[in-house]
Amino acid sequence: MPLKLFCCDECIPERKNHVYVKEEGEDTTQFLPLSNIETIPGSISERGCSYCGAKLVIGGVIKDCIQMIHGPVGCAYDTWHTKRYPSDNDNFQLKYIWSSDTKEKHIVFGAEKQLKKAITEAFKEFPEIKRMFVYTTCTTALIGDDPKAVCREVEKELGDVDIFVVECPGFAGVSQSKGHHELNIGWMRDKVGTLEPEITSEYTINVIGDYNIQGDSYVLQKYLDKMGIQVIAHFTGNVKYDQLRCMHRAKLNVVNCARSAGYIANELKRVYDIPRMDVDTWGFEYVKVALRKIGAFFGLEDKAEEVIAEEVAKYEGKLAWYKERLKGKQICIWTGGPRLWHWTKALEDDLGMEVVAMSSKFGHQEDFEKVIARGRVGTIYIDDGNELEFFEVLESIHADLILTGPRVGDLVKKLHIPYINGHAYHNGPYMGFEGAVNMARDMYNAIYSPMWNLAGKDPRVVDSPMWNLAGKDPSVVQEL
């Protein structure tokens, strides 16, 4: 029975079509969990909204522009300080969030004047910033506000500002994936090709689907600099607004997160005939393959090998140390979409770990095709999983570690199972050679932490670990 109905889902039997257990001899032409469709009522979805996909994942990473949320203040706060994407301009994009702060009266009488006021005030408060993203939300989309008209008016009045509007309210799609798509297509339509870059190398690329989580972009940039390749734009890690307007001048689009940013790579191919190259930049062996592919495209094979040799000499011994201690450990990957198939083989091949269960919040059919093809027999695959299903999975398998977000991570910690933040990392970066070692280190520290020996122990009980730590002094134990 490759399609599985969990006991907790007996009242919503439709969930059976979203859960698959891989068996010997099967392939994705026979069984594939349903995905990227409307959430089944009652399933307590973990998905984010479409607006969140646009702002939190892609737009909010850009380092030199104001992020104006046209809606209630809660929508702005909910997508602030929840991802760790630093920048080299003192992390401007992490420090602030802006909102038009719509209230009930604006819903009744319209909020366009409120939006114009908020935009004008924001530019006045930050005179050095001349670029802005404006996002619609459920509230302002439902009342029919026209933010594009407002922004054109402000641009005309101020003269030296440029504003991009993302019309993707939360209800626009079944998950945050819709927000990824709308921002990709909108930026391509409205902004790409509106500015010319300064070309400093005959080898130019865009790095697409890289959001500089805890410094990922810095790692990739270092490799490419050593190879003599100019990055026109990172979409969108540690990038400037105007750099993204110049994406049409790259000779190659290197795509890492295909689910959130593959759309713009496809459009650049269609409109400007820029080739698309998909790579994996998580995992020691995968990074070697990625650099060799890029080097081969430009005829820079020798440069690629030099970078690989230098990095391998630094980090291979460290990775081997962790592999010896992580080999055979069983893990679950419960994240967004493509990291399932990026991480599966990397962790199994590089570290000898075993991935026993996976869940995707917003993956599409092609994401499940890739991860099931890379996964092992017996692995459980879930689309749009929820907490009750996760608990049931953990009753049926042994897991030494969970790679997931803080929300689910806090739940599994109550079961005394360690977790690593699969969205924003624990102590990254996780991309590249050094990133593979960082990730291995964090997993090792989580699994082998002595604190797990204390979890679930009652410090009031004589001879418990807490009692021993306190030197068997009852007064100290009482304070603990």
Side-chain angles (χ1 to χ4, degrees), residues 112 115-116 119 123 134 146-159 161-165 167 190-191:
E112 290 181 1
L115 174 61
K116 183 177 180 180
I119 292 173
F123 279 128
V134 173
D146 186 355
K148 288 188 175 180
V150 174
C151 291
R152 285 194 298 267
E153 188 176 332
V154 173
E155 286 177 327
K156 185 177 180 180
E157 291 178 3
L158 298 183
V161 302
D162 198 277
I163 305 173
F164 175 60
V165 179
E167 292 190 283
D190 297 343
K191 298 301 179 182

Side-chain angles (χ1 to χ4, degrees), residues 64-135:
D64 68 339
C65 67
I66 292 167
Q67 302 284 331
M68 178 63 67
I69 316 305
H70 185 33
V73 71
C75 294
Y77 185 80
D78 187 55
T79 55
W80 183 39
H81 276 189
T82 55
K83 275 283 184 77
R84 303 169 184 173
Y85 29 63
S87 64
D88 56 12
N89 66 338
D90 200 26
N91 302 317
F92 174 80
Q93 77 287 357
L94 292 178
K95 292 181 178 180
Y96 307 100
I97 191 69
W98 297 264
S99 172
S100 60
D101 192 23
T102 55
K103 306 288 188 182
E104 184 176 342
K105 64 180 180 180
H106 304 120
I107 307 309
V108 175
F109 298 108
E112 290 181 1
K113 292 181 180 178
Q114 180 75 357
L115 174 61
K116 183 177 180 180
K117 177 184 175 184
I119 292 173
T120 304
E121 287 182 354
F123 279 128
K124 182 178 179 181
E125 289 296 320
F126 297 89
E128 73 282 6
I129 302 298
K130 302 297 182 180
R131 303 292 182 259
M132 178 182 288
F133 269 57
V134 173
Y135 304 83

Side-chain angles (χ1 to χ4, degrees), residues 38-242:
E38 291 182 358
T39 299
I40 300 170
S43 64
I44 322 175
S45 174
E46 288 282 331
R47 287 172 168 173
C49 72
S50 300
Y51 148 72
C52 175
K55 194 276 175 185
L56 176 64
V57 177
I58 304 178
V61 188
I62 300 170
K63 66 183 180 181
D64 68 339
C65 67
I66 292 167
Q67 302 284 331
M68 178 63 67
I69 316 305
H70 185 33
V73 71
C75 294
Y77 185 80
D78 187 55
T79 55
W80 183 39
H81 276 189
T82 55
K83 275 283 184 77
R84 303 169 184 173
Y85 29 63
S87 64
D88 56 12
N89 66 338
D90 200 26
N91 302 317
F92 174 80
Q93 77 287 357
L94 292 178
K95 292 181 178 180
Y96 307 100
I97 191 69
W98 297 264
S99 172
S100 60
D101 192 23
T102 55
K103 306 288 188 182
E104 184 176 342
K105 64 180 180 180
H106 304 120
I107 307 309
V108 175
F109 298 108
E112 290 181 1
K113 292 181 180 178
Q114 180 75 357
L115 174 61
K116 183 177 180 180
K117 177 184 175 184
I119 292 173
T120 304
E121 287 182 354
F123 279 128
K124 182 178 179 181
E125 289 296 320
F126 297 89
E128 73 282 6
I129 302 298
K130 302 297 182 180
R131 303 292 182 259
M132 178 182 288
F133 269 57
V134 173
Y135 304 83
T136 57
T137 58
C138 295
T139 306
T140 51
L142 284 171
I143 64 175
D145 274 0
D146 186 355
K148 288 188 175 180
V150 174
C151 291
R152 285 194 298 267
E153 188 176 332
V154 173
E155 286 177 327
K156 185 177 180 180
E157 291 178 3
L158 298 183
D160 60 348
V161 302
D162 198 277
I163 305 173
F164 175 60
V165 179
V166 187
E167 292 190 283
C168 191
F171 59 76
V174 300
S175 74
Q176 68 186 66
S177 182
K178 179 65 173 179
H180 307 156
H181 179 268
E182 289 300 321
L183 193 150
N184 275 239
I185 300 303
W187 186 264
M188 181 70 194
R189 180 190 61 237
D190 297 343
K191 298 301 179 182
V192 171
T194 60
L195 192 67
E196 292 297 324
E198 179 185 356
I199 302 298
T200 59
S201 169
E202 61 179 306
Y203 314 112
T204 57
I205 68 170
N206 295 314
V207 179
I208 294 177
D210 149 42
Y211 305 109
N212 201 32
I213 300 174
Q214 290 206 32
D216 280 343
S217 300
Y218 303 151
V219 174
L220 301 181
Q221 184 71 50
K222 176 179 66 176
Y223 300 158
L224 296 167
D225 286 345
K226 289 180 179 179
M227 292 174 65
I229 297 173
Q230 178 186 358
V231 178
I232 300 294
H234 288 264
F235 190 87
T236 53
N238 191 43
V239 77
K240 294 181 179 179
Y241 183 103
D242 283 352

